[in-house]
Amino acid sequence: MSLLICPQRQSVLDATGPVLVTGGPGSGKTTIALAKAQRIIEAGLSPGETVLFLSFSRAAVARVVEASKMQLPKALQSKLSIQTFHSFFWEILKAYGYLLGAPKRLRLLLPHDEAALRHPFESLGLDWEAERDRLFREEGLVAFDLFSAKAHALLTGSARLRTLFSDRHPMIVVDEAQDTADDQWQCVRLLSDGTQLLCLADLDQQIYDFRPGVSSERVTHIMEALQPLRVDLQGQNHRSPNSEIVAFANDMLLGTPRGAAYQGVSRLNFRANADMRDATIRSAIGVAIRNAKAAAAPHDIKSLAVLATWGRGVNIISRALTGDGTNKTIPHRVMIDEASVLLSSRMIAFLMEPRQPQTTELLDLAEALELAAVVFRARGGNGNLTQAQRLALSATQSRAGTAPRANGIAAKLLGALRTLRAHAFSGEPKRDWIEARRILREAGANPIENIAKDAEQLVAFQRGQRIASSFADVWQTHGSYHNARVVLDAALAEDQLLSGGNDLHGIHVMTVHKSKGKEFDAVIIFDDPNSSPLIFCPEGAPYLRCRRLIRVGITRARHHVLMLTDMYKPSDLLNGHRL
């Protein structure tokens, strides 16, 4: 985005104290923040100093990284540190967590592993928060939800640490400041005494106020604590300037339909019958792409997102695009962070590892059963926890040398392990992953088949190259997928904390919540009363929370938005709109 210097933007560039920039999607908040960062860097930084840009999601970090490459000279880019809050707080904890009584060497407790520990713990009525803190102090395991609280405790208790980090970062940019939780906000507030703070906010995009510690009054807190220069860029739109996408989004937010069409917005209806609905979902891809291409001409388009309000809707969209075997699969990526999916993927990684010899195959089986039990523990609920207990009992029996009962789950799983022992993998990670998953799926036991289906959602080798390249490196070194689970966990941990390069090209399917911070050439909003209702939570009229979420989804689009709605039961939020 080219930067037009108006008096408002100039005041941001000239400010020497804290600044709060507010504005809607595409108003230029990120652009002016990067211009301010460039000015700070060009003024001269000492060795080891960088401008710190903090955002919530890896996708948002990727967006800022891409923008910085276009806006800042290459020689300056190394002086801009773009991180998620989690990665910044992890940096603090790794170095200084021992000051809180934890072991010097800390390890991540990834969300899916935490879920597997938490659900059975809470089912017994025990205090998980106390247990999580014990894991930190005694075992050095750090759950993601502890990052900000522990970093806050460190910064509160040590003026030296505050000075160290504020000196290291002469300016800190806080993206999506309206959604900061209490500990996150307090951390940057503590650092503001020694560094310049630039907060970017859009109150109409506050969709995480249901999370603990996230306050609808955060901008007020920022104003009271920092007394910053306030610059409002509301009304400016540089993301989709040649369309009326933002106007439609604002009318949806305010419930003020104008009763006429919007440039860059269309509507396609589907019938509730599953086959006809799925056919329309597939057709909608082509319609949205054609409309976006026409709007973007002479430039090409590279990305499209199909958004649902519930995970159930994401599954329906993905199945429709995958097809039923009679029609061609439409390649797409499903963005997930389900604990059971990641743990199921760990099971597939285990199956890719070299198998133990026949003489110790019961130990191999015990390990497989324990991994399966962890998947069901992570899902929670009485039925899943009962299944987890059965699998864990079978694992104990196998470890004790007891052969599994014929035709039981353990026997079926043992059969899959024997098949894998004789199987020769190719060394091509994607192909071998699919093959291991197929063998598990065909084992003939419902719980095991269920795990294989779960693992399909990872789309690990389509989302990016990190996992695939790590597996390829292991193969080249060992001629096998030695320690594949360790490799997978390391790649997932890196993805959770550090990844800023998630590829957003192609077709993506996700919830609207997960789309925040991302941009696409075209966006399809799926409005299905049964799986993806626009009024997605219990809320009375005028449905402000639901309207905020839909505005976020709409404003992800650069060139075109298509509302894909039930022909006979469209959402009440669309009443009065003529699209």
Side-chain angles (χ1 to χ4, degrees), residues 268-271 273-287 320-321 524 562 564-565 567:
L268 184 63
N269 294 327
F270 62 83
R271 296 178 183 271
N273 171 275
D275 290 339
M276 300 181 76
R277 177 202 63 205
D278 290 355
T280 307
I281 290 172
R282 296 171 63 87
S283 298
I285 300 294
V287 172
L321 298 184
I524 298 171
L562 186 151
L564 182 58
T565 65
M567 179 178 292

Side-chain angles (χ1 to χ4, degrees), residues 185-357:
W185 156 239
Q186 291 299 335
C187 283
V188 294
R189 184 193 62 77
L190 286 166
L191 295 176
S192 68
D193 289 339
T195 188
Q196 184 177 15
L197 209 58
L198 172 54
C199 297
L200 312 179
D202 178 2
L203 279 177
D204 290 331
Q205 295 237 46
Q206 189 171 50
I207 60 174
Y208 290 115
D209 52 355
F210 62 92
R211 288 182 173 174
V214 177
S215 171
S216 60
E217 300 298 318
R218 182 66 67 222
V219 169
T220 301
H221 300 158
I222 292 171
M223 292 296 296
E224 290 175 349
L226 303 180
Q227 297 183 357
L229 168 70
R230 173 80 179 267
V231 177
D232 188 9
L233 302 180
Q234 194 69 38
Q236 302 186 32
N237 174 25
H238 302 277
R239 179 177 299 170
S240 50
N242 298 318
S243 75
E244 295 179 302
I245 291 172
V246 172
F248 172 56
N250 289 336
D251 286 348
M252 285 288 287
L253 174 68
L254 300 173
T256 54
R258 70 184 188 191
Y262 298 82
Q263 185 178 348
V265 182
S266 65
R267 178 171 175 171
L268 184 63
N269 294 327
F270 62 83
R271 296 178 183 271
N273 171 275
D275 290 339
M276 300 181 76
R277 177 202 63 205
D278 290 355
T280 307
I281 290 172
R282 296 171 63 87
S283 298
I285 300 294
V287 172
I289 289 174
R290 284 195 299 273
N291 289 340
K293 281 185 173 180
H299 305 291
D300 198 4
I301 66 166
K302 298 179 180 179
S303 60
L304 179 148
V306 192
L307 308 181
T309 56
W310 291 348
R312 195 183 313 163
V314 169
N315 292 335
I316 285 175
I317 295 164
S318 182
R319 284 200 299 268
L321 298 184
T322 300
D324 58 6
T326 63
N327 44 25
K328 187 176 179 181
T329 295
I330 298 176
H332 62 284
R333 302 173 185 180
V334 181
M335 292 198 172
I336 50 90
D337 55 3
E338 295 288 339
S340 64
V341 171
L342 297 177
L343 290 167
S344 295
S345 299
R346 186 182 286 163
M347 178 76 157
I348 303 301
F350 166 74
L351 297 179
M352 293 172 69
E353 294 175 355
R355 301 269 56 82
Q356 292 194 30

Side-chain angles (χ1 to χ4, degrees), residues 2-14 31-32 35-36 39 71 236 238:
S2 60
L3 183 66
L4 300 175
I5 302 298
C6 61
Q8 287 177 299
R9 289 185 170 83
Q10 190 63 51
S11 68
V12 176
L13 296 177
D14 293 341
T31 305
I32 191 61
K36 177 73 171 176
R39 176 171 286 201
Q71 193 171 327
Q236 302 186 32
H238 302 277

Side-chain angles (χ1 to χ4, degrees), residues 52 102 171 261 302 457 482 526:
L52 177 62
M171 186 176 84
K302 298 179 180 179
Q457 296 183 53
H482 178 73
F526 184 44

Side-chain angles (χ1 to χ4, degrees), residues 64 85 99 105 107 116 147-148 163 179 184 195 224 252 304 319-320 329 395 448 455 485 502 509 525 562 564 575:
V64 177
F85 278 96
L99 296 175
R105 183 177 179 275
R107 294 172 293 143
F147 279 24
S148 57
T163 300
D179 276 329
Q184 293 167 335
T195 188
E224 290 175 349
M252 285 288 287
L304 179 148
R319 284 200 299 268
T329 295
I448 305 305
R485 282 169 290 169
N502 289 348
V509 183
I525 307 287
L562 186 151
L564 182 58
N575 288 346

